[in-house]
Structure formats: structure tokens, C-alpha cells
Amino acid sequence: MEQRNRADALDDAAVTDVTAAGEPTLAEDLLLLLFQPDSGTIAGENILYYALAGAVLSDLALDERVTTTSERPSLAKVAVVPDAAPEDALLLATWE
């Protein structure tokens, strides 16, 4: 019985560590989707920067940390929402 309680405690600690790290960003999810384990490469390496930038901007927009300054997408400029800094280091670096 004591052995089972230790295993349960370890499982609880692992869940706490994962939740403390927060949810993965869209950019992290995208990298996981594009990773090719057989070759150790990432698919679309030539245009990966554009896809990752779009994923980071999407994360910021979904969290309402950035806004656009134009109704027309072709003329849109992205601006940060003041006092809405994200906690994630990657998102924060982009937001700043």
C-alpha cells in the first residue's frame, strides 16, 4: 500500500510540473508538427521563419495582447496592447 502511495505522489508531482510550465504556444506546437524524427530535421526549413512568426503573432492576438490598426488586411499594422505583457518569454520578446 505504501508503494502505491509513493507512485501516486510522483504522478501528482509530474502533473504539477507540467502545469506550472504553462500551455505550449502555437509556435511550439508547429515545431512539433513539422519535426521529422526519421531524419532529425524540420519540414519547410526554408520558410519556417514566416510560419513561426505567424504562430507567435497569432498567439498574441488570441490572447488580445496585440491589435491591428486597419480594417484592411493588406494595410494592417500590428500594435501592442499596453499593460498586456505575456508571461511566456518567447511571446514577451516579440511583444516588446
Side-chain angles (χ1 to χ4, degrees), residues 21-89:
E23 290 189 30
T25 64
L26 289 174
E28 292 167 334
D29 285 343
L30 179 62
L31 283 174
L32 285 174
L33 286 171
L34 295 175
F35 180 68
Q36 307 292 313
D38 293 336
S39 62
T41 62
I42 296 177
E45 290 176 3
N46 297 335
I47 58 168
L48 185 60
Y49 303 111
Y50 303 115
L52 289 176
V56 169
L57 281 175
S58 296
D59 258 333
L60 290 170
L62 287 170
D63 289 341
E64 297 181 356
R65 298 181 189 283
V66 295
T67 185
T68 57
T69 59
S70 174
E71 296 285 327
R72 293 180 50 193
S74 61
L75 300 175
K77 294 186 182 188
V78 178
V80 299
V81 174
D83 300 323
E87 293 179 15
D88 184 85

Side-chain angles (χ1 to χ4, degrees), residues 1-10:
M1 183 72 164
E2 186 177 325
Q3 188 67 20
R4 177 147 169 74
N5 289 338
R6 283 185 177 173
D8 289 343
L10 288 175

